[in-house]
Amino acid sequence: MSTAASLSGVKTRRLAGRALSHLVLIATCVVIGLPFLWMLSTSLKGSTEVHIFPPIWWPARLHFENFVVAWQTAPFGRFYVNSLITSVSGVIIDVLVACLSGYAFARIRFPYRNQLFVVMLAAMMIPNQMALIPNYVTLKVLGWVNTYPGIVLPHCYSVVGAFLLRQYFLSLPDALFDAAIMDGLGHGGSLIRIAIPLARPAVATVTLTYFIGKWNEYLWPLIVTNTQNMRTLPVGLAMVEKAEYQIGPEHLMAASIFVLVPVLVVFFLAQKQLIAGIAAGAVKG
Amino acid sequence: MSRRARYDARMFLLFIAPNFLLLALFVFWPVIYSLYLSFFKWNMVAKTKPFIGFDNYLTMVRDPVFWLVLRNTFVLALGVVVIKLSIALLLSVVLNRRMPGRAVYRAIIFSPTFTTSVAVAMVWSWILDPNYGLLRVFLNLVGLASPNWLGDVNWSLSAVMIVMIWAGVGYDMVYFLAGLQAIPGELYDAVRVDGATPWQTFWKLTFPLLSPITFFLLVTSVIGALKAFDLVSIMTQGGPLNSSNVYVHYLYQNAFKWFKSGYASALAMVLFGIIMVITLVQTKLSNRWVHY
Amino acid sequence: MNRKGIAGALAVVMLLASSAAFAGGAGEKQTGPVNVVFWSALSGAAGDLQAEQVKAFNASQKDVVADAQFQGAYAEVVQKLIAAMAAGNVPDMVLLDSPFVALFAKDSALVSLDRFAADPKQGVDLKAFIPGLIADGYYKGKLYALPLVRSTPLLYFNRDLFKELGLPDRVPDTWDEFREFSKKMTKADRYGAAFEMGVTTAHWYLQGLIYSWGGQISDEDFNILLESPEAIAAAQFWQDMVFKDKIAIPGIPSAQAEYLNGRVGLVFGSTGSMANLMGKATFKVGMGFMPGKVKHQVPVGGSLIAMTSSNKNRQLGSWEFMKFLTNPANNAAVVVKTGYMPTRQATLNEPDLKAYFEKYPDRRIAIDQLQYARPQASVISLGKGTEILRQAVEKLLVGQVPAAQVMKEAAVDLKKEYVESFK
């Protein structure tokens, strides 16, 4: 076989390989993305267009009123406010807690430090459903049932975040911290002036991940809230499905969009950051 | 103790105090209380609760639904983890090269990761509708009829698994990608010069270097699958006939629907034990195949 | 301090402030109006009406301010109540699905209402309530709850479909007719009937089935009677319709959705489903009694309002509220707007109601069926009772387990549940 022929053989194989790669990726994106498009399409259909097979993708006209109807089946405005308040305050507290813990385990010497670290990690294995009733009782003692602290605080401890930040802080050069000590900086100063600024990507990732996690919480807010005016979006959405109003799949999909859009927006704006953070965590973890 | 050591000790305790306080109150105390409750029979309404010793645990052993639910949970965990990680690994390998649109692909595939489970459950329930759902379109295209996914004992668990894989594959893919990109290119050049085939390259070079990440994803995926709840609760409520009932959902049913908080607490303790054992076993085994 | 610190401090301050401002629950006031909190499970048309009635109550007097809070479906209300009891933080009143009155009364979670009713000034004549609809508010001879929204099961049919197929414009009167009509309706993508499989409904219609065959589920003393030939034959009848004749389907995820989609022409519903079904349907909805076999007999359903408060002032306030909600005028409004049943004889004399029935004579159905109503089976009050019966329906209509075996297993489970939790 001549060199020229074998070279072109390699080239076609490479081209075929590239084409195949794109094909696989496109197919995957279709599978991943189609449910979102279907959700959107259904939410704009009229009630007679929903129960047909084969289904139509583009409704005769766009029924934006489905969103209005869905919005009116429950106080979604209030749900949004509650979700915002609980997620934002929760994430601020949670990240603070994570930074403090992560720094302590990485940079402060203490006998039994490693044992305490393992104790903290053990918390990850405890199924949350176990804690529902005991936590409710605890909240009553504190007077926090059906309040924002009640929704937020029981989930403000940090294990994964603290773990991630510990790894990150550990990877920072010791010299920086030694210099800080010589400059008379205490641990608080080291954390605020050195560790966190240098770990900004990791902190950002933890913040984003925690925010989205809290936004999506379902079971705990369901248990701890008694009144519609305290409920968060996921809880509200689940209740809409059980309510007896005249709603069909088109309204349920519209309501689902209310809940998903903020998350997807945050995600797409921050996905570079999120992915970079995960990558860094993956390598250092 | 030196001044420095005392200062360190003080600051350490101060720094971990918020976290450990919260953990003590909201994570560890419930475990103790649940352990305590698991030895009683209590419907949460009565003012007195009789102590029944290990009866709840004995009931568990004799409860056919418990064994069914345990089996379902393991099947779910195994199926989801194996399929999800395999697909994620494949995707990450494909995506691990300079190509146009790479960031877009990555973003799209990663997007379901953070979606709200309630909304996802509702959308997928509608997609899986055997009469008007989207999936039926594709099944009919290849000549298959759509099973009543959520209403058929043979398909309900698979339906839940499909949704979990769909929602989780992007996350694992991103982790694998990060791991792949940390492998220096020179290593690949070296083995190519030695004449290694892509297959050999993958198994002898890539996979071992990826093993720490694989291990991490394995552990977290398994724990996550063992704790699956939201999707089952919204899509199937464990049915029909407990075919899609998983451990944590069964626990929830006992505690909150059937007034059996003692039994539910016993279930919680056993789950805790199972998760710990599995993690320990995985960690021990990891010495064999994980290379740092 | 840097931005992070300030932000953190702000968050904490905001949290504390908001917790004070937004804390829910009833307040303790010594002077001024008494605040009472009522946990309700009504949504849709019934929920809207209730909100109006609460407003009217608050506007009509100055001593009591009532707040009705929607807590979800009946099952959620019960869960919340249990959690609240564990925490010592119960509301003043609660809307309980009929099985739960006995369960909570047994463990002293409810306040007995007899002395309030007997009070010469504030009392109410209990005999004015329709006996069949207040019977399950009693436990061991004491009254614990007043009927609020009561219903009986009905059979709904698709009038347009019946007309198209030449079927008479009425529900099938007997189960045999039910089967015949279903056969006529069944074709490619359509069946005769969809059976209710829901967590809160399956057991109810099962009772309707078994009672009409002359069988029973359990008696007053919790003897389980599911293994009688009548009960087994009834169960077999439903199962054959699904698997042998293939003219009926289990309604998963929702039987009423199949009806509204036109995939079946017959479906069960409660008298309270009337408003919502008629509102959603794109065809003419008809209704009638549940079919009979040896007789017509149906279980009563719906819910009652019970008192959980332990504070004397709030108990009095709650009683006033309960009296108001269950008075003839408000009860009539419930009947007209939702289709739930009249709970008092006097309600039938309300002018609004008379006009309503003159306009829609077929809606008298609910009242006419009252003569066939009886309280639900005693096992319904067991913690896992309704779930065991629901599982029996699932085994019959999805699992295709032989009827005799299903009844046997259910009987065993119910006996065990009774011994474990109720004795």
Side-chain angles (χ1 to χ4, degrees), chain B residues 3-286:
Chain B
R3 248 188 85 223
R4 177 81 202 175
R6 262 179 305 164
Y7 169 69
D8 274 356
R10 236 187 16 242
M11 292 308 277
F12 181 84
L13 291 172
L14 188 68
F15 273 36
I16 67 167
N19 205 5
F20 274 69
L21 215 76
L22 287 168
L23 282 171
L25 200 55
F26 295 116
V27 178
F28 296 129
W29 159 247
V31 176
I32 299 176
Y33 188 66
S34 288
L35 179 62
Y36 165 74
L37 205 54
S38 74
F39 296 118
F40 289 81
K41 182 172 79 174
W42 192 38
N43 64 6
M44 285 198 267
V45 179
K47 298 218 167 38
T48 57
K49 45 186 190 285
F51 176 77
I52 57 170
F54 282 96
D55 272 6
N56 280 327
Y57 294 94
L58 288 172
T59 309
M60 210 187 300
V61 173
R62 294 197 220 109
D63 179 4
V65 180
F66 168 73
W67 292 106
L68 175 59
V69 153
L70 197 62
R71 172 196 163 275
N72 285 346
T73 311
F74 280 128
V75 168
L76 180 109
L78 201 67
V80 167
V81 169
V82 168
I83 298 178
K84 186 165 65 92
L85 286 187
S86 305
I87 298 180
L89 187 57
L90 173 69
L91 287 174
S92 66
V93 166
V94 171
L95 207 50
N96 187 31
R97 63 187 78 183
R98 279 188 217 294
M99 58 166 65
R102 177 162 167 221
V104 174
Y105 287 133
R106 202 181 48 182
I108 294 182
I109 297 176
F110 189 52
S111 58
T113 307
F114 292 120
T115 46
T116 314
S117 56
V118 175
V120 165
M122 284 190 187
V123 176
W124 269 95
S125 295
W126 177 231
I127 291 177
L128 293 169
D129 188 294
N131 300 308
Y132 310 109
L134 183 59
L135 190 56
R136 182 181 172 198
V137 176
F138 292 98
L139 288 172
N140 285 169
L141 268 178
V142 290
L144 293 169
S146 171
N148 184 357
W149 289 98
L150 303 178
D152 189 320
V153 290
N154 297 313
W155 293 106
S156 57
L157 193 62
S158 307
V160 176
M161 286 166 65
I162 289 175
V163 182
M164 283 181 78
I165 293 172
W166 173 86
V169 76
Y171 181 80
D172 293 347
M173 179 192 80
V174 164
Y175 263 92
F176 277 133
L177 252 181
L180 285 175
Q181 298 189 322
I183 301 176
E186 305 88 62
L187 287 176
Y188 283 112
D189 294 334
V191 294
R192 194 155 12 121
V193 162
D194 284 345
T197 65
W199 185 254
Q200 285 172 322
T201 312
F202 182 77
W203 285 108
K204 292 256 152 67
L205 176 66
T206 314
F207 193 75
L209 284 175
L210 265 186
S211 52
I213 294 202
T214 312
F215 176 65
F216 169 75
L217 287 177
L218 213 65
V219 171
T220 50
S221 293
V222 167
I223 293 183
L226 290 174
K227 292 207 254 176
F229 174 82
D230 285 6
L231 290 178
V232 170
S233 159
I234 307 245
M235 286 173 73
T236 64
Q237 293 91 51
L241 295 173
N242 289 313
S243 55
S244 65
N245 208 354
V246 291
Y247 201 104
V248 175
H249 187 255
Y250 186 52
L251 199 164
Y252 173 79
Q253 284 176 311
N254 275 288
F256 294 98
K257 304 215 168 215
W258 304 334
F259 303 87
K260 297 187 184 313
S261 60
Y263 188 55
S265 300
L267 286 171
M269 296 307 306
V270 170
L271 178 66
F272 184 28
I274 291 177
I275 291 182
M276 281 213 297
V277 166
I278 290 186
T279 309
L280 270 164
V281 167
Q282 278 186 310
T283 313
K284 275 269 148 62
L285 283 179
S286 77

Side-chain angles (χ1 to χ4, degrees), chain C residues 25-227:
Chain C
E28 289 268 11
K29 289 213 181 107
Q30 302 292 33
T31 57
V34 173
N35 287 308
V36 292
V37 172
F38 169 46
W39 279 6
S40 167
L42 299 178
S43 58
D48 292 341
L49 177 64
Q50 182 168 85
E52 280 173 28
Q53 291 176 336
V54 172
K55 260 206 217 122
F57 174 73
N58 290 335
S60 71
Q61 44 76 45
K62 294 248 183 301
D63 301 314
V64 186
V65 176
D67 178 21
Q69 302 171 349
F70 173 67
Q71 297 296 346
Y74 291 134
E76 263 102 50
V77 172
V78 167
Q79 282 174 34
K80 301 298 283 291
L81 184 61
I82 289 175
M85 290 178 64
N89 185 24
V90 295
D92 299 296
M93 293 161 285
V94 107
L95 189 66
L96 291 175
D97 196 4
S98 45
F100 292 108
V101 175
L103 191 103
F104 284 103
K106 172 171 184 286
D107 287 319
S108 316
L110 303 178
V111 175
S112 156
L113 300 173
D114 294 300
R115 60 188 167 91
F116 293 107
D119 184 283
K121 272 194 292 180
Q122 313 282 46
V124 118
D125 179 14
L126 293 176
K127 292 212 201 50
F129 287 97
I130 298 176
L133 299 179
I134 195 174
D136 45 9
Y138 283 87
Y139 176 70
K140 291 230 162 91
K142 292 209 190 134
L143 179 69
Y144 287 96
L146 291 178
L148 190 64
V149 285
R150 308 291 342 237
S151 56
T152 55
L154 290 181
L155 182 58
Y156 290 87
F157 69 104
N158 184 333
R159 293 179 76 184
D160 294 342
L161 181 62
F162 272 35
K163 191 159 158 200
E164 181 191 313
L165 294 172
L167 292 169
D169 190 26
R170 58 167 176 84
V171 289
D173 186 52
T174 62
W175 285 108
D176 292 324
E177 252 196 349
F178 184 87
R179 189 156 162 264
E180 290 313 309
F181 286 22
S182 295
K183 275 205 193 128
K184 290 225 177 79
M185 283 188 270
T186 302
K187 64 164 193 161
D189 202 22
R190 193 172 65 202
Y191 298 89
F195 293 123
E196 266 292 344
M197 310 291 296
V199 169
T200 51
T201 50
H203 63 91
W204 204 41
Y205 301 107
L206 179 69
Q207 287 182 72
L209 171 74
I210 293 184
Y211 294 158
S212 67
W213 283 68
Q216 281 209 70
I217 308 241
S218 63
D219 67 14
E220 282 304 304
D221 298 315
F222 288 92
N223 293 310
I224 312 297
L225 307 165
L226 274 176
E227 299 182 82

